[in-house]
Amino acid sequence: MTRSFLPYILVAQRLGIAFVTLIIVSFAVFFATAMLPGDVAEILLGQAATPEAVAGLREAMGLDEPALSRFVHWLLGLAQGDMGTSYVNNIEVAELIGGRLLNSLRLAAVVTLVSVPVALTLGICAAMWRGSIFDRLVSLLTIFVVSVPEFMVATLAVLVFAVWLGWLPALSYGVELDSWSAMLRAYAMPVISLSLVVSAQMIRMSRAAVIETINTPYVEMALLKGASLSRMVLRHALPNALGPIANAVALSLSYLVGGVIIVETIFNYPGVAKLMVDAVSTRDLPLIQSCAMIFCVSYLSLITLADLIAILSNPRLR
Amino acid sequence: MADTVSHTLSEDKAPEGPKFVFNWVGRIGLAVIVFWAIVAIAGPFLAPHPPGEIVDWDYFGPVTSEFWMGTDYLGRDIFSRIIMGARYTVGIALAAVTLACTIGVLLGMIAAVAGGWFDMILSRLLDAFNGIPSLLFGLVVVAAVGSSIPILIMTLTAIYMPGSYRFARALAVNINTMDFVTVARARGEATPYLILREIFPNILGPVLADLGLRFVFIVLVLSGLSFLGLGVQPPNADWGALVRENIEGLSLGAPAVVFPSIAIASLTISVNMFIDNLPTLIRDRSE
């Protein structure tokens, strides 16, 4: 086995682990929702149902089959894009999710576009002027954002931008998106809150990545031979920190998954997370399962992507 | 044996001064943690009004001399409700983190000492659990079995146990290769002895620091769940539920939203401050 193959083997290994993880995760999601609550048919028909009606529905839904075969059916269906039918209103789950998913992806994309450049700039600058007032201020703020719940960041954002400054509507309940400015205003609060949550992580991690490279002897050498601070960081340290930084970006973006659940609920944003929280209150299991799988898949892909970047950007493996 | 080794280690790390020195940031953090612990224990004696009783007909009332933190959306005293909420937030999080770390650390040490198939299968399985976003896991479980305090504790334990396992296993694997463990094994000591007397004392410091950070994560997820209405159920309320109940008062800038948020932030930030400023002697003993 030559060294040049090593990264590919590691990548294949990592993808294999991701696949196995996905199977186990879907197993967990299916059994947490489908096994525990007892009888779905009874829940659906309500208290007044006759035993015959319950038995009939059980048979029609295939609930009499062993759990394992139902799991395999469900997983195969999911792989082919068949997400089942909602219990509550008999609409195809895929249809319910479709538009909502687009909304959530749009939110995630805008947040990524806003937070990545801002966070990287702040993180690299903080690392460059380590120990300065600016660095301490940034560190303090990011520690604050990281250690409070997401809903508090959103609440604070509302308090500052809507209540005190009065720039934006507090909670965009049922705003009609008929004009540019209306849409901008409806998007602004969710985007601001989510960006804050995601960037805090990203700033901390990219700062740490750059500092780690600055501490290496070759960067010290650059400083000793007379390179300026910005040249030392941007020209000498940054290229080698790019891998860890990209890794940090992907990892931080996985915080979107948790953050989006809270933020969509607070701002009543019509995305998948809001759909799922609503489905939890109506106990619409197929809808919950599908939404949960969407989140798990995005979370897993981001984590796997982070690991792949770390593997591929490590020149020692080439 | 383990004692003498840890003794020489501690002499290497901290050649002068007393053993545990906290700087002032760590002390402030510790003070706030102790404060909330006392509030959680002595809650009913401290609350000036019954937490569930409507004491003021003016909802979202301002801060007055009678209602120190204003009143909530029904006119209940926020100060008393925050004091009682401390019991739920601190109590549930503490129970969950204790369970998670006990199980995780025990399994981690066993896996490190046993090795082989047991280690591999357990590690893969628990790593897969880490692939589920924590808030989502809570959502799914609550959707399936409903929300009650034992279920919340078990769910939070299940979410944070794998991380604790991974952490303890990594530390224990390092210790397991050290000479004093080899000597003990050669002496013919049984596996339980190795785990409890040789390995455990040497990973205790970092494990406790990890427990503190995990406590913060659990408080955050618990508050998040309660905020979504899936955590502690009314009429009881932890701090996350208090924020949710009064979120309508946000546009009025009501103190009923602000103070529970401050309570959560003060707890999580002070635990972070305390852990970040632990003497390196405790934190990095294994390195």
Side-chain angles (χ1 to χ4, degrees):
Chain A
M1 195 189 311
T2 55
R3 264 178 89 73
S4 59
F5 279 117
L6 194 56
Y8 300 104
I9 294 168
L10 287 175
V11 165
Q13 205 176 19
R14 189 64 192 81
L15 289 177
I17 290 175
F19 182 73
V20 173
T21 308
L22 187 61
I23 301 287
I24 298 177
V25 165
S26 55
F27 195 78
V29 166
F30 181 82
F31 280 88
T33 49
M35 296 295 289
L36 292 172
D39 201 308
V40 180
E42 262 174 47
I43 297 171
L44 278 182
L45 290 174
Q47 301 225 313
T50 61
E52 292 79 14
V54 171
L57 188 64
R58 282 183 65 90
E59 206 181 332
M61 292 175 69
L63 289 177
D64 289 331
E65 286 175 53
L68 206 61
S69 86
R70 275 192 289 140
F71 170 65
V72 173
H73 265 279
W74 174 73
L75 203 59
L76 287 179
L78 214 58
Q80 293 162 3
D82 171 23
M83 298 177 173
T85 321
S86 160
Y87 284 169
V88 174
N89 43 20
N90 264 326
I91 301 176
E92 291 271 319
V93 170
E95 201 176 307
L96 280 171
I97 288 181
R100 296 289 196 115
L101 184 60
L102 217 63
N103 280 343
S104 284
L105 286 177
R106 199 178 300 146
L107 180 63
V110 175
V111 168
T112 310
L113 285 180
V114 171
S115 62
V116 172
V118 174
L120 290 191
T121 314
L122 284 176
I124 292 169
C125 288
M128 205 191 298
W129 295 299
R130 178 158 46 130
S132 67
I133 302 279
F134 171 76
D135 178 33
R136 285 196 201 157
L137 203 66
V138 169
S139 295
L140 205 70
L141 279 176
T142 50
I143 287 180
F144 174 77
V145 173
V146 168
S147 50
V148 302
E150 290 100 346
F151 65 81
M152 223 184 108
V153 176
T155 311
L156 266 180
V158 169
L159 213 57
V160 171
F161 291 105
V163 180
W164 292 343
L165 296 176
W167 291 349
L168 300 160
L171 302 169
S172 47
Y173 288 122
V175 180
E176 282 170 37
L177 304 177
D178 45 3
S179 69
W180 235 146
S181 64
M183 199 162 107
L184 209 64
R185 282 160 72 90
Y187 262 102
M189 289 311 303
V191 168
I192 290 174
S193 318
L194 258 183
S195 300
L196 279 172
V197 171
V198 176
S199 347
Q201 283 294 341
M202 225 180 284
I203 292 171
R204 277 168 71 91
M205 287 162 120
S206 54
R207 175 178 175 275
V210 174
I211 283 180
E212 197 168 306
T213 341
I214 288 180
N215 281 340
T216 53
Y218 82 93
V219 179
E220 198 180 350
M221 175 69 208
L223 191 65
L224 289 177
K225 80 173 186 199
S228 67
L229 185 69
S230 57
R231 187 176 162 83
M232 175 190 92
V233 172
L234 298 178
R235 189 76 190 80
H236 293 273
L238 203 54
N240 270 321
L242 275 183
I245 287 178
N247 176 316
V249 168
L251 269 186
S252 319
L253 286 180
S254 72
Y255 280 80
L256 268 177
V257 174
V260 91
I261 296 178
I262 299 283
V263 166
E264 286 191 1
T265 313
I266 293 185
F267 298 109
N268 223 10
Y269 184 87
V272 185
K274 183 80 175 64
L275 187 68
M276 177 165 172
V277 173
D278 292 344
V280 168
S281 53
T282 53
R283 295 179 66 118
D284 191 349
L285 293 181
L287 192 51
I288 297 172
Q289 286 168 343
S290 305
C291 293
M293 285 310 289
I294 289 178
F295 281 118
C296 284
V297 168
S298 12
Y299 187 72
L300 259 178
S301 343
L302 282 169
I303 291 182
T304 312
L305 184 70
D307 279 2
L308 290 184
I309 292 172
I311 293 172
L312 291 175
S313 66
N314 187 348
R316 267 164 240 140
L317 293 175
R318 254 176 238 143
Chain B
M1 188 69 203
D3 284 340
T4 53
V5 169
S6 64
H7 185 62
T8 49
L9 260 182
S10 62
E11 274 182 356
D12 287 349
K13 291 273 182 183
E16 80 269 337
K19 233 180 158 186
F20 300 118
V21 192
F22 295 98
N23 59 13
W24 61 271
V25 182
R27 279 189 203 153
I28 294 176
L30 182 63
V32 178
I33 297 169
V34 171
F35 167 74
W36 281 124
I38 292 173
V39 167
I41 294 167
F45 304 106
L46 295 176
H49 302 276
E53 198 170 293
I54 295 171
V55 288
D56 186 7
W57 295 111
D58 184 19
Y59 62 95
F60 289 136
V63 175
T64 61
S65 60
E66 198 187 351
F67 309 113
W68 292 358
M69 294 183 177
T71 53
D72 74 353
Y73 74 116
L74 290 176
R76 293 174 294 192
D77 181 37
I78 278 291
F79 183 59
S80 309
R81 285 180 74 73
I82 287 182
I83 286 176
M84 286 310 283
R87 289 204 141 180
Y88 294 102
T89 300
V90 178
I92 293 175
L94 208 57
V97 81
T98 313
L99 269 175
C101 284
T102 311
I103 301 172
V105 170
L106 266 181
L107 284 178
M109 289 192 299
I110 295 173
V113 173
W117 278 105
F118 179 76
D119 181 25
M120 210 181 94
I121 292 177
L122 200 63
S123 296
R124 279 283 152 269
L125 207 66
L126 292 182
D127 272 357
F129 255 79
N130 263 341
I132 307 178
S134 42
L135 196 59
L136 188 82
F137 188 90
L139 263 177
V140 169
V141 172
V142 169
V145 283
S147 183
S148 67
I149 288 175
I151 288 189
L152 278 176
I153 293 178
M154 282 195 303
T155 312
L156 293 167
T157 304
I159 295 174
Y160 284 103
M161 194 272 279
S164 178
Y165 165 85
R166 202 178 191 175
F167 186 76
R169 185 187 163 276
L171 290 171
V173 162
N174 279 339
I175 303 285
N176 195 30
T177 56
M178 287 193 176
D179 288 342
F180 61 89
V181 182
T182 316
V183 169
R185 195 172 280 132
R187 217 161 56 216
E189 304 288 4
T191 307
Y193 179 92
L194 289 180
I195 288 171
L196 292 178
R197 298 299 300 275
E198 303 289 348
I199 293 178
F200 184 62
N202 285 294
I203 67 170
L204 185 60
V207 159
L208 285 180
D210 175 64
L211 184 136
L213 293 183
R214 232 160 268 285
F215 177 79
V216 172
F217 292 138
I218 290 184
V219 169
L220 295 185
V221 170
L222 175 66
S223 315
L225 275 177
S226 288
F227 181 79
L228 294 175
L230 303 165
V232 178
Q233 296 299 315
N236 302 324
D238 68 334
W239 294 337
L242 283 177
V243 178
R244 173 199 170 80
E245 285 177 352
N246 300 306
I247 195 78
E248 301 290 326
L250 187 59
S251 45
L252 312 168
V257 197
V258 179
F259 284 111
S261 304
I262 293 177
I264 300 173
S266 71
L267 179 65
T268 51
I269 292 175
S270 56
V271 174
N272 266 335
M273 275 161 55
F274 178 64
I275 301 289
D276 272 354
N277 291 288
L278 277 178
T280 37
L281 178 62
I282 302 179
R283 268 164 72 91
D284 302 325
R285 208 165 156 194
S286 65
E287 281 169 14

